[in-house]
Amino acid sequence: MGKKILAICASPRKNGNCETLVRAFMRGAEENGNEVRAYFASETKIEPCLACGMCYKTGKPCVQKDAINEIIPAFLEADIVLLASPFYFHNFSAQMYAFINRLYAIGNTNDHVYPKKDVILMVSSHSDREEDFEPLFAQYNNMLIGYMGWREIGRVMAHTYSERGEVAGTDFEKQAEELGKSIR
């Protein structure tokens, strides 16, 4: 039986580079019998956390009625989480931060314990300077790997691409598909 994978594509661009990478990954992963549930920021709205504290006070999931109410159960069931984000101002997109911040409710309804997940990171960027990525990796390593206790199992950094869909047909798209095929 294959793995359950939750893919979060945090790019607001429909048919953009992140979406191209995620769809390539999905092709490879599904070919091996894995189940992928994908959410695309271009189609799915996740509001930012309101800091209302209701999840903490009541022990119930977030009170906001948006896509997170569908995503959280998929997150809890997933063996692997794929995070795909464009590279904005040396970090994740606002859409990715909205998803990550809304995971707060899970800890508040579970004695501040977050489920351990395997994670795959995909980033699309116009930059190819390694030092430009340091702020993103610091956030990723501190927040998800360190605090949440996730384990990275793959990464695709599609650099030097900024135009919509420009990554299609490149080695980065092939890397994403091969990474999907490697999931067993």
Side-chain angles (χ1 to χ4, degrees), residues 122-161:
M122 292 186 180
V123 176
S124 176
S125 169
H126 68 277
S127 178
D128 64 349
R129 294 174 358 132
E130 198 167 310
E131 61 270 20
D132 287 349
F133 295 97
E134 289 174 12
L136 182 140
F137 293 143
Q139 285 289 317
Y140 173 74
N141 288 325
N142 289 331
M143 203 170 22
L144 301 175
I145 305 301
Y147 180 71
M148 302 280 280
W150 293 4
R151 180 177 70 114
E152 184 178 62
I153 61 169
R155 182 183 289 185
V156 177
M157 301 296 293
H159 53 79
T160 69
Y161 296 98

Side-chain angles (χ1 to χ4, degrees), residues 14-109:
K14 181 82 176 147
N15 300 318
N17 292 320
C18 284
E19 185 174 326
T20 300
L21 295 173
V22 169
R23 292 199 187 281
F25 173 86
M26 290 172 64
R27 282 192 305 273
E30 289 171 345
E31 183 178 301
N32 281 340
N34 297 296
E35 177 187 330
V36 183
R37 290 186 67 181
Y39 294 89
F40 298 92
S42 63
E43 303 167 354
T44 305
K45 184 89 166 144
I46 300 173
E47 296 293 337
C49 178
L50 296 173
C52 67
M54 290 307 292
C55 57
Y56 182 75
K57 292 173 189 167
T58 66
K60 295 180 181 173
C62 186
V63 297
Q64 293 190 77
K65 305 299 180 214
D66 62 4
I68 206 72
N69 294 315
E70 182 182 329
I71 294 171
I72 292 294
F75 170 81
L76 292 172
E77 291 177 3
D79 302 301
I80 299 169
V81 177
L82 164 63
L83 302 176
S85 177
F87 187 63
Y88 292 162
F89 292 99
H90 296 185
N91 228 309
F92 292 115
S93 68
Q95 291 83 356
M96 182 60 74
Y97 274 113
F99 167 72
I100 292 169
N101 287 173
R102 296 289 294 285
L103 293 178
Y104 178 75
I106 293 171
N108 277 339
T109 58

